[in-house]
């Protein structure tokens, strides 16, 4: 009995101390002194951000640090909602070569948190026939929040013989799968079709209508009989998304260097224009003149895959920085990387820092210097500003910390120090037994 008391008493004392500490602190984590950019709430000012139980608890000019279990000084940095990349290719692990339901795609967690992305949308890798395999392999096993545009092709983005098969572009089973996973499947995708028919677009729109979700279009091969102007003025619905808008591959830019008038008319109808940089869809000779004329994207996205990750695209912050180099403000690019994409995929629970919202947060540094930004053909635009991610929070916990903002200096710790985090705020190195 004495031995039992000797073992149990310290454990009870430790638990009691933990409960007391929790009771003494209103917040789990306080980000102090950063410049908050929260476009939904029209905030762009120095603010403190308090987090509790994985959600935003308070955003205010001054929050008493004594109320927080953990305080991180983020002064001089931008604090934004976690970035949302609505165009990525993440269905991998199947072993299929030359396939965006295989080797052409990438596992998300190695490419997201380090650039402030907390939500990424796989863009058509899977169709209704293989979505549940994608869900099992990637969505359910990733720390990144992974969503999906479901390919109108039942077999997904597996290459030519699949993606050119009109008979596998069936609206009804695609819509049924989307309804089964509402909120996880956020849209329908059509892509890469080489023929002159409108069937892929029309069936994608039918599926989107049946499931009440938007359609994203990669318009495939350009045909005079299937012009982009007709796509955005007649075929797509308000809220549908045209991606690769600065590719120049489908007459987005007219011979006079101006934006195709059809795209302007489409925007009036409510069609959304997305960057979708990728390895083949962004040229300075298209983007610069169109942006200079005020034709800005509605959303900034990467089109991340093995052919873009080490080329001109690189990552989400590099693409955002390209728009800084073209004259957009930091507030402009944050809007197009958070709240706008959240609205486009109808996940308005994301992309903002309202009290009660999930605490997905990016802490960014704006670096000034001499930088070069490269397009898909290797042409460079020089810039003087570049965004770098210092820290990322997912569900209120630190999942990436570039320079140890949240960490103590080693020589301030006990000689035999162990893990320094706590599960109330840390998802990387929480101390054993610190979970609530």
């Amino acid at each position: 009995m004495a031995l039992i008391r000797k073992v149990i008493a310290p454990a009870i004392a430790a638990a009691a101390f933990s409960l007391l500490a929790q009771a003494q602190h209103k917040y789990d984590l306080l980000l102090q002194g950063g410049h908050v950019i929260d476009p939904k709430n029209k905030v762009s000012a120095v603010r403190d951000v308090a987090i509790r139980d994985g959600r935003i608890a308070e955003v205010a000019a001054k929050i008493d640090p004594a109320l927080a279990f953990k305080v991180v000084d983020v002064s001089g940095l931008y604090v934004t909602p976690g970035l949302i990349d609505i165009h990525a290719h993440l269905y991998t692990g199947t072993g299929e070569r030359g396939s965006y339901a295989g080797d052409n795609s990438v596992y998300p967690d190695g490419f997201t948190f380090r650039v402030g992305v907390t939500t990424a949308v796989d863009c058509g890798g899977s169709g209704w026939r293989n979505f549940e395999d994608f869900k099992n392999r990637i969505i359910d096993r990733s720390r990144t929040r992974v969503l999906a545009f479901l390919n109108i092709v039942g077999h997904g983005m597996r290459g030519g013989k699949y993606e050119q098969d009109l008979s596998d572009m069936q609206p009804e089973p695609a819509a049924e799968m989307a309804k089964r996973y509402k909120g996880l499947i956020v849209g329908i995708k059509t892509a890469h079709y080489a023929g002159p028919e409108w069937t892929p677009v029309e069936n994608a729109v039918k599926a989107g209508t049946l499931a009440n979700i938007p359609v994203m279009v990669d318009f495939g091969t350009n045909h005079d009989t299937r012009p982009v102007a007709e796509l955005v003025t007649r075929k797509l619905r308000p809220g549908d998304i045209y991606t690769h808008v600065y590719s120049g591959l489908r007459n987005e830019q007219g011979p006079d260097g101006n934006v195709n008038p059809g795209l302007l008319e489409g925007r009036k109808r409510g069609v959304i224009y997305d960057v979708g940089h990728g390895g083949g869809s962004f040229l300075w000779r298209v983007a610069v003149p169109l942006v200079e004329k005020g034709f800005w994207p509605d959303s900034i996205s990467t089109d991340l895959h093995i052919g873009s990750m080490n080329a001109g695209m690189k990552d989400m912050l590099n693409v955002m920085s390209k728009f800084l180099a073209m004259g957009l403000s930091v507030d402009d690019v944050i809007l197009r990387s958070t709240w706008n994409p959240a609205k486009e995929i109808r996940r308005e629970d994301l992309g903002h820092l309202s009290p009660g919202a999930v605490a997905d947060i990016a802490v960014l540094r704006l670096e000034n210097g001499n930088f070069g930004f490269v397009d898909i053909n290797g042409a460079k635009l020089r810039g003087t500003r570049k965004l770098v991610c210092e820290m990322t929070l997912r569900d209120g916990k630190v999942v990436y910390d570039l320079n140890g903002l949240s960490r103590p200096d080693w020589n301030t710790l006990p000689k035999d120090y162990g893990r320094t985090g706590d599960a109330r705020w840390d998802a990387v190195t929480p101390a054993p037994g610190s979970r609530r």
Side-chain angles (χ1 to χ4, degrees):
M1 183 62 72
L3 178 61
I4 293 174
R5 283 197 299 269
K6 185 176 181 180
V7 171
I8 293 178
I12 294 173
F17 179 80
S18 177
L19 290 171
L20 179 62
Q22 291 182 35
Q24 288 176 337
H25 295 104
K26 184 178 180 181
Y27 307 121
D28 298 329
L29 178 63
L30 179 66
L31 301 180
Q32 190 176 51
H35 184 125
V36 171
I37 301 178
D38 182 7
K40 178 190 176 182
N41 293 303
K42 297 180 172 55
V43 175
S44 183
V46 174
R47 294 285 186 270
D48 292 348
V49 179
I51 298 161
R52 183 173 178 83
D53 296 331
R55 295 192 172 270
I56 304 297
E58 185 180 2
V59 179
K62 184 67 175 177
I63 298 173
D64 184 358
L67 297 175
F69 181 80
K70 173 74 174 179
V71 179
V72 179
D73 181 4
V74 292
S75 56
L77 304 173
Y78 288 102
V79 177
T80 79
L83 307 182
I84 301 173
D85 184 358
I86 65 165
H87 192 149
H89 292 282
L90 310 172
Y91 184 10
T92 192
T94 66
E96 186 168 64
R97 295 184 179 184
S99 168
Y100 290 94
D103 290 359
N104 288 356
S105 294
V106 300
Y107 288 103
D109 291 349
F111 296 86
T112 51
F113 294 153
R114 63 187 53 240
V115 290
V117 173
T118 53
T119 299
V121 186
D122 180 79
C123 223
S126 66
W128 68 269
R129 298 180 189 276
N130 53 1
F131 172 76
E132 289 179 327
D133 180 69
F134 168 58
K135 179 178 181 295
N136 175 60
R137 289 179 187 272
I138 305 298
I139 294 176
D140 295 346
R141 305 184 191 197
S142 299
R143 297 174 79 180
T144 308
R145 180 185 294 100
V146 177
L147 308 174
F149 278 95
L150 191 72
N151 205 310
I152 190 59
V153 177
H155 282 284
M157 201 175 285
R158 298 178 61 189
K161 74 174 184 178
Y162 297 101
E163 294 181 78
Q164 308 307 313
D165 183 2
L166 293 174
S167 69
D168 197 29
M169 302 180 191
Q170 302 172 41
E172 291 79 10
E176 286 302 312
M177 185 61 71
K179 288 188 283 188
R180 186 180 307 171
Y181 292 101
K182 184 178 180 180
L184 200 57
I185 295 174
V186 295
I188 302 293
K189 176 78 180 292
T190 175
H192 303 166
Y193 187 63
E197 298 90 349
W198 285 102
T199 306
V201 169
E202 291 170 346
N203 285 2
V205 170
K206 287 178 185 176
T209 301
L210 288 170
N212 192 30
I213 51 179
V215 168
M216 180 184 279
V217 177
D218 166 339
F219 204 29
T221 302
N222 192 42
H223 291 278
D224 291 340
T225 56
R226 196 182 64 161
V228 68
E230 185 174 353
L231 172 74
V232 298
T233 60
R234 295 181 59 189
K235 296 293 184 178
L236 297 184
R237 307 161 298 166
D240 287 340
I241 304 165
Y242 181 83
T243 193
H244 306 315
V245 70
Y246 301 111
S247 69
L249 295 173
R250 304 164 192 96
N251 301 318
E252 295 91 353
Q253 182 183 37
D256 60 358
N258 292 318
V259 63
N260 185 321
L263 270 64
L264 298 174
E265 189 61 32
R267 173 162 276 173
K268 292 178 183 177
R269 293 182 61 243
V271 172
I272 302 296
Y273 296 109
D274 176 62
V275 173
H277 188 301
S281 298
F282 186 91
L283 289 168
W284 289 125
R285 58 178 167 82
V286 178
V288 170
L290 266 56
V291 168
E292 286 179 347
K293 291 176 173 64
F295 191 74
W296 295 5
D298 295 295
S299 52
I300 295 173
S301 67
T302 62
D303 187 12
L304 171 68
H305 53 75
I306 63 168
S308 65
M309 63 187 187
N310 294 321
M313 188 283 292
K314 295 181 176 63
D315 57 46
M316 184 69 167
L317 289 180
N318 192 61
V319 180
M320 292 165 65
S321 297
K322 290 183 176 189
F323 285 88
L324 294 179
M326 286 188 283
L328 275 67
S329 70
V330 174
D331 290 66
D332 292 330
V333 301
I334 296 301
L335 168 65
R336 288 160 175 80
S337 308
T338 57
W339 182 230
N340 274 8
K343 291 188 294 181
E344 291 168 18
I345 61 174
R346 302 181 187 177
R347 285 295 305 266
E348 296 184 16
D349 56 318
L350 304 174
H352 57 91
L353 301 177
S354 306
V358 61
D360 288 359
I361 296 175
V363 179
L364 308 176
R365 181 184 302 279
L366 181 64
E367 295 190 344
N368 295 290
N370 296 311
F371 307 109
F373 302 102
V374 178
D375 71 10
I376 63 167
N377 285 347
K380 180 172 67 177
L381 177 72
R382 296 180 185 274
T384 59
R385 297 183 298 167
K386 184 175 184 178
L387 289 166
V388 174
C389 181
E390 281 287 349
M391 189 164 66
T392 304
L393 279 70
R394 170 81 162 90
D395 289 329
K397 298 184 180 183
V398 174
V399 290
Y400 177 77
D401 188 349
L402 178 64
N403 288 301
L405 290 176
S406 65
R407 308 299 169 173
D409 291 322
W410 75 271
N411 54 5
T412 66
L413 298 171
K415 184 177 180 180
D416 58 347
Y417 66 85
R419 290 191 167 201
T420 61
D422 188 281
R424 294 184 68 175
W425 59 271
D426 183 8
V428 181
T429 56
S434 66
R435 295 191 179 277
R436 288 177 294 176

